[in-house]
């Protein structure tokens, strides 16, 4: 940001240098296109290891980070990067609006969390604000953060939920909300066959018989 500590990206100077981390190449391309000249994209990555390497090399002002990534998820990227480069800002961008995902990345060091329903203009504004040091959250998600950090105790661990991977939890929430397999696939940028595989795995791990039992299980735990 230069030698003048009072200068911010929102003052109209050079745009923030950004690395986009998401496991879907087409989505990364779409984000690039939506952001246009509002930011300077200096790198991309699709998994944890490559993200850490790209961030180390590019030294961006901000990382736009997906929560669910191959190799350990967004929290692992935060852990490995911020230990050595605490000045780099992170803004989470995810299809997930689940409280545990929001709280997890915020505890890990992210300065904001927005969902993929955000417009390109809103996303560019959020990037600039977080790069300037602000905290930015989609309105509904801000409540999760306030509740989590005002609580005296950490939320209890659910051993059954802990058996599921982050992607399985995403699929579970969508199915429990009544989404068809095709709709889940479109929302999560995965194939219908992959959705079916995740659902089968969730049912097996939770010892449930069908999606109706799965919906009841998720509702009882307030995951939907």
């Amino acid at each position: 940001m230069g030698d003048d500590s009072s200068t911010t990206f929102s003052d109209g100077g050079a745009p923030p240098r950004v690395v986009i981390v998401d496991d879907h190449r087409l989505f990364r391309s779409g984000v690039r296109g939506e952001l246009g000249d509002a930011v300077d994209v200096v790198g991309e990555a699709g998994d944890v290891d490559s993200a850490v390497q790209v961030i180390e090399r590019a030294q961006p002002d901000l990382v736009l980070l997906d929560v669910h990534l191959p190799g350990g998820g967004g929290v692992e990227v935060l852990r490995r990067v911020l230990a050595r480069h605490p000045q780099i800002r992170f803004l989470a961008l995810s299809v997930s609006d689940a409280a545990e995902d929001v709280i997890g990345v915020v505890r890990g060091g992210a300065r904001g969390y927005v969902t993929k329903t955000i417009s390109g203009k809103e996303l560019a504004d959020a990037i600039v604000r977080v790069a300037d040091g602000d905290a930015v959250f989609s309105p509904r998600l801000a409540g999760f953060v306030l509740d989590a950090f005002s609580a005296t105790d950490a939320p209890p661990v659910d051993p059954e939920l802990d058996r599921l991977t982050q992607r399985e939890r995403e699929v579970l929430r969508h199915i429990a909300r009544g989404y068809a397999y095709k709709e889940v696939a479109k929302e999560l940028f995965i194939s219908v066959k992959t959705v079916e595989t995740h659902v089968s795995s969730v049912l097996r791990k939770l010892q449930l018989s069908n999606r109706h039992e799965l919906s009841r299980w998720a509702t009882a735990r307030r995951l939907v």
Side-chain angles (χ1 to χ4, degrees), residues 26-219:
L26 286 177
F27 180 78
R28 297 197 305 268
S29 298
V31 170
R32 270 184 181 262
E34 286 290 329
L35 292 174
D37 297 330
V39 307
D40 179 12
V41 177
V42 295
E44 294 183 10
D47 58 55
V48 169
D49 287 341
S50 61
V52 173
Q53 292 171 9
V54 170
I55 295 166
E56 288 271 2
R57 182 172 65 249
Q59 292 293 301
D61 300 302
L62 179 140
V63 178
L64 193 59
L65 181 68
D66 191 12
V67 175
H68 302 139
L69 294 167
V75 172
E76 179 65 11
V77 177
L78 287 160
R79 185 187 69 79
R80 289 167 60 178
V81 171
L82 290 178
R84 298 181 60 184
H85 307 286
Q87 80 283 0
I88 296 177
R89 310 287 189 184
F90 282 82
L91 172 62
L93 174 65
S94 177
V95 295
S96 171
D97 60 1
E100 66 264 26
D101 288 334
V102 179
I103 295 165
V105 296
V106 172
R107 289 194 190 280
R111 297 282 301 175
Y113 193 117
V114 293
T115 60
K116 289 182 177 178
T117 57
I118 195 170
S119 71
K121 185 177 183 302
E122 291 169 334
L123 180 58
D125 179 65
I127 289 172
V128 170
R129 288 173 60 195
V130 172
D132 277 340
D134 291 344
V136 177
F137 296 90
S138 294
R140 178 171 176 268
L141 309 185
F144 295 155
V145 178
L146 291 173
D147 290 345
F149 288 91
S150 64
T152 55
D153 298 310
V157 173
D158 185 329
E160 289 188 295
L161 190 61
D162 264 3
R163 295 177 194 151
L164 307 182
T165 66
Q166 290 288 350
R167 183 63 86 183
E168 287 170 349
R169 294 183 195 189
E170 269 192 325
V171 171
L172 179 153
R173 282 190 291 269
H174 281 79
I175 293 296
R177 290 169 181 164
Y179 283 60
Y181 284 8
K182 286 184 179 179
E183 294 172 322
V184 178
K186 183 178 179 182
E187 286 286 321
L188 301 183
F189 300 95
I190 57 179
S191 69
V192 173
K193 185 172 180 59
T194 300
V195 173
E196 293 172 349
T197 299
H198 285 314
V199 171
S200 296
S201 178
V202 169
L203 293 175
R204 184 181 68 255
K205 289 180 179 181
L206 300 180
Q207 298 183 349
L208 301 173
S209 300
N210 53 54
R211 62 182 296 166
H212 301 295
E213 289 185 3
L214 186 152
S215 294
R216 288 197 295 271
W217 185 93
T219 300

Side-chain angles (χ1 to χ4, degrees), residues 17-33:
R17 301 172 67 257
V18 175
V19 166
I20 301 173
V21 179
D22 190 281
D23 59 345
H24 295 99
R25 183 179 57 81
L26 286 177
F27 180 78
R28 297 197 305 268
S29 298
V31 170
R32 270 184 181 262

